[in-house]
Amino acid sequence: MDIYKGAEFDISEDNKLHFKRGDTLKISQKKGSFVQFTLGDGRSYGTMPLQHLEYLLKKRELIEKSGEYSGEDTPEDEKSGVIGQL
């Protein structure tokens, strides 16, 4: 699975407390081995290691939403949208 800027994930019911009761998590940027994200309502944001995001996906605490990468507001070198491989 590719992790890319703009990717959205649903937060499982059991883990919403850990994410300030957010319903979704959206990747906003990658810096080194960290990803920055915003929570669904846009009121909260944070950073986590890419490895931890991969762990949350593997444990199904985050579930990838279907949808296409739009490529909006990205520099030319980020047009591919790929941040990391799982």
Side-chain angles (χ1 to χ4, degrees):
M1 166 189 304
D2 291 334
I3 308 288
Y4 53 87
K5 180 178 180 178
E8 287 192 56
F9 304 91
D10 286 321
I11 299 169
S12 69
E13 286 296 323
D14 295 341
N15 291 289
K16 288 186 180 186
L17 266 178
H18 299 292
F19 291 97
K20 299 186 179 184
R21 298 200 184 275
D23 291 326
T24 60
L25 180 146
K26 183 175 183 178
I27 303 297
S28 57
Q29 190 170 0
K30 180 202 177 229
K31 290 188 176 188
S33 62
F34 291 88
V35 291
Q36 293 179 336
F37 61 90
T38 56
L39 296 179
D41 56 12
R43 293 182 300 175
S44 301
Y45 58 91
T47 303
M48 74 173 80
L50 182 58
Q51 184 178 15
H52 187 62
L53 177 64
E54 292 168 347
Y55 171 80
L56 294 173
L57 289 167
K58 182 178 178 181
K59 293 293 186 179
R60 307 272 306 149
E61 293 177 15
L62 294 177
I63 298 108
E64 185 177 26
K65 288 180 127 182
S66 60
E68 290 296 315
Y69 172 66
S70 67
E72 295 176 21
D73 301 320
T74 60
E76 284 299 315
D77 61 336
E78 292 182 3
K79 288 290 185 187
S80 69
V82 175
I83 290 177
Q85 299 283 334
L86 287 181

